[in-house]
Amino acid sequence: MYGIPLTLLLLRLALAGQVAAFPSTRLLDVWNSYAPKVGLYDPQHSNRPLHPLTSITDQNARPQSGAESRSGRKQKRAQTWVVVDVYQGEGFFDDFEFFDQSDPTHGQVNYLNKTLAMSRGLASVTADNKAVMQVDNHTDLPLGQYRDSVRITSSKSYTGGLFLLDVEHAPWGCGVWPALWTVGANWPVGGEIDIYEGVNLGTHNQVTFHTEPNCTYTRGVNQTGTIIGTDCDAFVNSNSGCGITDPSQTSYGAALNGLGGGVFAMKWDDDGIASWFFHRSSIPPDITNGDPQPSGWGYPTAQLAPDGCNPWVYFAAHSIVFDITLCGDWAGSAYGGSGCPGSCETQVMKGANFVNASWVVNSLIVFRESNFAASAAEGRGAPIWTLAACIALVAGIMLQS
């Protein structure tokens, strides 16, 4: 039992150079049977879909033409992406830890542990498999009392990868400050990447990078977003970081939710760190089909280029965080010019003010980079003895089953 993952890993390594021809149909069946259970499944070795990404839907997606299909997008790139983790449905919260300490950003919230959050309905999964996280929107509070909310952190950490958030509804409103971000364990060592963030009645999502000193934002490619900061150093400029504003006025807030949400993507690899946003009606078909190909997505909202900030030096071992805070360092300081009534402190008092302060998440999927396509293109092959040894090991599994 404990030998299966190692066996399949050896087989996986052997197959890295044998993309064009799987050694046998029976071994292919064994691979497809066991590999998904240990996280090694790769679509290049199966005619089955990578993952049933039923939550990522695009009813208005334009189908590929024959010419586009024949062009072979895989031939245009050396990258392929393999699913590592899927956070979705009933198991969404299984690999998240609930943060229940005071808010580091000085928000007026009480973050609840998992038991309390679930029992009070602030964290739940709907009958149609949507994960919900929300602020208490029922209780009226005296001035100065903090409101119950939710903040979760993934148990797993990632260095590099492709992260796809399919969100149907994201928090917004006066005094509300939501974020989806990834962060190292010893901030700012290891860095921080804010994928989705905004405050109050804003309409534009903001992507932001926070790091140790000497990380500078330079564009690796053309981008659609507006740069509002180029020094990512968390110790200067009140930790404003390297901020980039999405040009879409429906990438945050009420307008985003009115359009049914969409997909936020972040890619972290040798080319730097890039982010995209797609409205529900414009999600690329390759995302919908579970075979994401960022090279075909057009210009990103933001791309932190490696020549100004090495993505492997300033960013490492990131956990994924969802949170909803109220007021605090950003929403509180921006409240006076936000067009919201009264003060942020008085806004927190009434529960009905926060009926829109909720996440409704269809899925969050994390991919890792694979070099299978590059290996095939370059004609590299695994040594025959390595392949033979792996076949023997898998045959042992077959005999034991």
Side-chain angles (χ1 to χ4, degrees):
M1 178 178 179
Y2 295 102
I4 289 175
L6 177 58
T7 300
L8 287 176
L9 179 58
L10 291 173
L11 177 60
R12 171 73 159 78
L13 293 173
L15 293 173
Q18 302 291 336
V19 175
F22 205 96
S24 82
T25 302
R26 180 70 178 100
L27 288 178
L28 174 59
D29 291 340
V30 173
W31 173 263
N32 286 337
S33 175
Y34 283 104
K37 301 175 184 177
V38 293
L40 297 176
Y41 180 42
D42 190 291
Q44 301 238 11
H45 302 301
S46 175
N47 58 8
R48 297 184 300 177
L50 177 67
H51 188 277
L53 301 180
T54 53
S55 68
I56 296 185
T57 57
D58 179 9
Q59 301 299 325
N60 300 314
R62 179 177 61 86
Q64 282 186 296
S65 67
E68 288 172 322
S69 298
R70 289 191 300 272
S71 68
R73 286 178 292 178
K74 289 185 179 180
Q75 297 175 5
K76 296 180 181 179
R77 62 187 175 90
Q79 280 182 311
T80 58
W81 296 95
V82 181
V83 170
V84 175
D85 288 302
V86 177
Y87 301 92
Q88 182 181 38
E90 284 296 327
F92 182 89
F93 294 106
D94 290 352
D95 291 313
F96 280 99
E97 298 172 358
F98 282 67
F99 179 86
D100 61 357
Q101 307 300 311
S102 60
D103 182 12
T105 62
H106 310 106
Q108 295 185 24
V109 290
N110 293 315
Y111 286 126
L112 302 184
N113 62 38
K114 184 174 185 177
T115 300
L116 287 175
M118 292 286 189
S119 65
R120 297 182 185 178
L122 300 192
S124 62
V125 178
T126 66
D128 55 350
N129 288 321
K130 302 177 191 299
V132 178
M133 295 160 278
Q134 60 189 351
V135 171
D136 168 25
N137 58 26
H138 298 292
T139 311
D140 289 341
L141 305 172
L143 182 65
Q145 185 170 331
Y146 289 3
R147 186 165 293 280
D148 291 343
S149 186
V150 173
R151 170 171 164 165
I152 61 173
T153 304
S154 66
S155 303
K156 299 180 181 180
S157 61
Y158 308 90
T159 299
L162 178 64
F163 302 75
L164 299 181
L165 170 71
D166 182 340
V167 61
E168 182 175 300
H169 186 282
W172 70 278
C174 290
V176 180
W177 176 9
L180 166 67
W181 42 301
T182 66
V183 64
N186 300 301
W187 186 94
V189 178
E192 173 186 338
I193 306 167
D194 300 321
I195 302 170
Y196 177 87
E197 189 175 25
V199 296
N200 299 318
L201 300 179
T203 58
H204 297 267
N205 180 47
Q206 182 171 312
V207 177
T208 311
F209 305 92
H210 304 270
T211 66
E212 294 182 271
N214 301 316
C215 170
T216 302
Y217 188 89
T218 55
R219 297 194 299 191
V221 297
N222 288 331
Q223 65 176 53
T224 62
T226 301
I227 300 173
I228 57 176
T230 58
D231 190 345
C232 305
D233 186 353
F235 299 104
V236 301
N237 302 323
S238 302
N239 185 31
S240 58
C242 297
I244 300 89
T245 303
D246 194 298
S248 171
Q249 296 188 49
T250 55
S251 58
Y252 179 88
L256 167 68
N257 296 328
L259 295 174
V263 169
F264 291 86
M266 185 267 282
K267 178 174 72 73
W268 170 8
D269 61 9
D270 287 337
D271 293 329
I273 302 172
S275 66
W276 290 260
F277 165 61
F278 306 104
H279 291 100
R280 181 69 53 198
S281 62
S282 62
I283 299 171
D286 52 86
I287 291 181
T288 306
N289 297 333
D291 182 23
Q293 299 176 11
S295 62
W297 292 350
Y299 295 139
T301 302
Q303 176 157 349
L304 180 69
D307 56 349
C309 188
N310 189 316
W312 310 120
V313 172
Y314 290 94
F315 302 88
H318 276 206
S319 297
I320 302 167
V321 182
F322 285 91
D323 72 61
I324 316 172
T325 192
L326 305 177
C327 303
D329 296 338
W330 187 7
S333 63
Y335 193 90
S338 67
C340 291
S343 67
C344 205
E345 291 75 14
T346 58
Q347 182 74 4
V348 171
M349 296 172 63
K350 190 170 182 60
N353 290 336
F354 301 100
V355 293
N356 293 305
S358 62
W359 290 100
V360 179
V361 177
N362 291 325
S363 64
L364 171 63
I365 304 175
V366 182
F367 299 77
R368 66 171 172 80
E369 189 176 0
S370 168
N371 65 353
F372 273 134
S375 297
E378 295 170 11
R380 294 199 296 266
I384 267 303
W385 65 266
T386 302
L387 186 58
C390 291
I391 291 173
L393 287 169
V394 173
I397 296 173
M398 294 164 59
L399 290 173
Q400 293 172 15
S401 62

